[in-house]
Amino acid sequence: MKVKLILPALTEAESPFWRPIKYSLFPPLGLATLAAYLDPHDEVELLDQHVEKLTLDDEPDLVIIQVYITNAYRAYHIADHYKAKGCYVILGGLHVTSLPEEALPHADSIFIGPGEDTFPQFLKDFKKGAQKKRYFSDKRTLAGIPPIRRDLIKRHLYLVPNSIVVTRGCPHHCDFCYKDAFFQGGKSFYTQLVDDALSEIERLPGRHLYFLDDHLLGNSKFASSLFEGMKGMNRIFQGAATVDSILRGNLIEKAAEAGLRSVFVGFETFSPENLKQSNKKQNMKKSYEDAVQRLHDLGIMINGSFVFGLDEDNQDVFKRTVDWGVTNGITTSTYHVLTPYPGTKLFSDMEKAGRITSRNWDLYDTRHVVYKTRNLTAEQLEEGYWWAYKEFYSWNNIVKSSLHHEAFKHMLKHFFYAGGWKKFEPLWNFIIKSGSLSGMLPLLESILSKVNSTQNKSETDNSLQKINLNYKTANT
């Protein structure tokens, strides 16, 4: 059987927002996971339209397409094309789960929820010619799943080919989060067996890993055992955690000992009312500053996530958020315009209140305003979003933020990581077009190397003088 798995490019791929490096980070693990259930004798092709050209002149027996909200229209077009050729077309993913009735006309079968239990059943049905129109996931387990088909991943096209997911879902239920809808009808958070996760890590070459889990520390028992097993592997890794998990117990110290060097943290908002509105209980009555200090003491860099446009936000939210990030030495910041995704409680509440202003899914990219705002106009919200990015990543603020660390090595890591991520777009584009992206991985590993938390004062003072001298030279 000839099988084609496709991740269509997001709308940004053909817009001024397109950043090739941002969409050349991680391979499509979800599709590679499904491919593991196919027969070894099947002819299988995995295509990621973000990093390679999609050809449509073939006629596979089975076409599997992963659908996100901002690639939905493109996914439907591709699906219609292959259906017209007589190919059997499957659609699945977050958007299909949220809006199955919208997706169904474009597919022969749709998958609602995660596919680890439903895809094997579909394959049995398909071979018998008894396939169903809809497959619902209700058995949630990662025990015994086959190894991901990493042989289908074109590693040289990605900066972080060693991405990995060892859990599914999240133990928290924020009103604006897409994932709650995806995991309805069963467990919303579950993990691999620790030994299976460690075996997957051992199969990956090199040192660097990126855990794409929504909350790597979400199950403390699992995470503790995982980190214990990773000690001695000589790995460095990045992942995501909550403010609460960073402050509670000593799990973050175990993660750092195992090799955690950078963490994504959903701060989202400083307003208690906004946190309450969003049901983000894990941040309420927690000190963001204490969490930041604890991470910095461990030499861990921070990618902070912030949402603009919650109902308590006013015109000063943009400057306050940027200033806080700079003052607290946040290495990188990711900003979002509040986006009510279909299937979320936020969308449902706004729809009932008549606040949804657009159902053009291409605009649901966290850059556009698609709902009736309060306190801020839609124009003020979008302008503030772009201002925050420009201001936070100005050379002046990159330097100022770097200098808030105690260790000189942490200062340098911060400076090169933040500057490299946002200030060298033409260079990244050249590296990507020349096919040399994988050659940048040793540099990333070097930047993510361990920082010692102690440093004598004279060394720090000399380091500060060097940074200031270099900064002045670069700006003359």
Side-chain angles (χ1 to χ4, degrees):
M1 181 169 65
K2 187 175 182 180
V3 183
K4 190 170 188 176
L5 302 104
I6 303 171
L7 177 61
L10 305 180
T11 302
E12 297 94 305
E14 296 177 356
S15 80
F17 305 133
W18 178 244
R19 295 185 66 220
I21 182 57
K22 181 177 179 181
Y23 299 97
S24 300
L25 293 176
F26 313 115
L29 289 187
L31 292 175
T33 299
L34 293 185
Y37 293 98
L38 295 169
D39 190 287
H41 298 101
D42 288 337
E43 183 182 341
V44 185
E45 182 182 19
L46 175 58
L47 280 168
D48 178 357
Q49 198 180 11
H50 298 98
V51 298
E52 55 192 320
K53 185 176 180 180
L54 177 63
T55 57
L56 299 173
D57 57 357
D58 54 344
E59 294 186 13
D61 301 295
L62 180 62
V63 178
I64 305 167
I65 303 174
Q66 187 170 7
V67 188
Y68 295 110
I69 192 165
T70 56
N71 76 2
Y73 299 134
R74 180 174 283 120
Y76 295 157
H77 175 75
I78 296 169
D80 292 343
H81 170 83
Y82 278 114
K83 276 193 72 179
K85 284 188 170 189
C87 307
Y88 198 95
V89 176
I90 290 175
L91 294 178
L94 289 168
H95 191 67
V96 174
T97 299
S98 298
L99 295 173
E101 300 304 325
E102 177 188 287
L104 192 57
H106 304 280
D108 294 296
S109 292
I110 61 172
F111 284 71
I112 298 173
E116 285 90 0
D117 61 321
T118 50
F119 189 60
Q121 183 59 51
F122 163 80
L123 290 175
K124 293 178 183 177
D125 295 343
F126 187 64
K127 289 178 180 178
K128 295 185 295 186
Q131 56 271 10
K132 304 170 187 175
K133 291 289 290 183
R134 302 172 189 240
Y135 285 84
F136 298 88
S137 168
D138 53 13
K139 181 184 176 184
R140 305 282 166 79
T141 178
L142 297 177
I145 63 171
I148 295 172
R149 284 290 302 275
R150 293 186 180 270
D151 59 299
L152 300 174
I153 293 171
K154 304 171 183 69
R155 290 179 59 89
H156 67 285
L157 297 178
Y158 300 96
L159 180 62
V160 189
N162 281 358
S163 52
I164 184 172
V165 183
V166 296
T167 67
R168 298 290 188 272
C170 180
H172 304 294
H173 306 281
C174 305
D175 287 356
F176 52 70
C177 183
Y178 225 160
K179 294 299 177 71
D180 259 13
F182 191 65
F183 289 97
Q184 280 184 357
K187 288 189 290 186
S188 59
F189 182 65
Y190 48 106
T191 73
Q192 276 189 288
L193 298 175
V194 173
D195 286 346
D196 289 346
L198 292 173
S199 294
E200 176 70 10
I201 292 170
E202 287 178 340
R203 285 191 289 269
L204 294 171
R207 292 188 64 206
H208 180 257
L209 306 172
Y210 201 116
F211 287 93
L212 293 174
D213 305 77
D214 295 302
H215 187 1
L216 184 58
L217 277 61
N219 181 317
S220 57
K221 182 178 179 181
F222 168 81
S224 180
S225 297
L226 178 70
F227 300 146
E228 184 65 30
M230 289 180 66
K231 287 195 304 185
M233 284 188 172
N234 195 31
R235 295 287 191 172
I236 52 175
F237 63 93
Q238 298 170 264
T242 63
V243 173
D244 177 62
S245 67
I246 292 164
L247 292 173
R248 182 169 18 93
N250 66 343
L251 194 56
I252 195 66
E253 282 79 10
K254 291 182 179 180
E257 188 177 0
L260 179 64
R261 300 290 177 261
S262 170
V263 65
F264 179 94
V265 183
F267 297 107
E268 316 306 7
T269 177
F270 302 110
S271 163
E273 285 302 314
N274 281 340
L275 290 173
K276 184 177 179 180
Q277 173 196 340
S278 305
N279 195 38
K280 200 168 181 68
K281 298 176 182 177
Q282 64 272 26
N283 280 26
M284 295 185 69
K285 299 182 180 179
K286 302 294 190 304
S287 170
Y288 290 1
E289 290 79 8
D290 287 350
V292 167
Q293 188 60 54
R294 192 168 191 178
L295 292 171
H296 286 167
D297 287 346
L298 293 168
I300 297 173
M301 296 189 295
I302 301 169
N303 176 15
S305 174
F306 303 91
V307 175
F308 298 134
L310 290 155
D311 284 349
E312 295 300 312
D313 286 346
N314 52 37
Q315 283 185 271
D316 72 345
V317 68
F318 310 106
K319 187 176 188 305
R320 285 191 295 108
T321 303
V322 169
D323 288 349
W324 184 88
V326 173
T327 300
N328 284 277
I330 304 299
T331 312
T332 54
S333 284
T334 303
Y335 301 117
H336 313 269
V337 171
L338 180 68
T339 302
Y341 294 117
T344 64
K345 186 176 185 301
L346 178 64
F347 184 92
S348 177
D349 289 347
M350 285 194 168
E351 189 173 44
K352 289 176 183 176
R355 295 180 65 184
I356 301 296
T357 59
S358 174
R359 283 177 169 76
N360 178 357
W361 307 135
D362 285 350
L363 300 179
Y364 280 62
D365 58 0
T366 76
R367 297 180 176 96
H368 293 88
V369 180
V370 294
Y371 66 98
K372 293 178 183 178
T373 56
R374 295 177 180 167
N375 295 330
L376 291 164
T377 67
E379 293 75 16
Q380 288 172 331
L381 180 49
E382 289 189 14
E383 288 174 4
Y385 163 86
W386 288 112
W387 177 89
Y389 261 120
K390 182 179 179 181
E391 186 69 11
F392 181 83
Y393 287 104
S394 67
W395 278 120
N396 182 53
N397 275 334
I398 288 174
V399 171
K400 284 171 62 177
S401 187
S402 300
L403 296 176
H404 280 284
H405 303 295
E406 295 181 4
F408 179 54
K409 186 174 181 180
H410 202 156
M411 296 177 196
L412 287 180
K413 284 175 54 159
H414 181 133
F415 180 82
F416 285 115
Y417 194 94
W421 177 238
K422 275 290 188 178
K423 290 299 190 180
F424 296 97
E425 208 69 36
L427 177 60
W428 282 119
N429 294 348
F430 171 78
I431 292 170
I432 291 169
K433 289 178 180 179
S434 65
S436 306
L437 190 57
S438 59
M440 299 301 293
L441 189 54
L443 176 60
L444 175 61
E445 291 179 352
S446 177
I447 292 174
L448 290 172
S449 61
K450 187 175 181 179
V451 171
N452 293 321
S453 59
T454 58
Q455 180 184 41
N456 64 59
K457 187 177 186 304
S458 61
E459 183 184 353
T460 302
D461 291 341
N462 290 336
S463 301
L464 291 173
Q465 292 174 9
K466 290 177 183 178
I467 288 181
N468 285 320
L469 179 60
N470 291 336
Y471 175 64
K472 290 176 181 178
T473 302
N475 285 272
T476 57

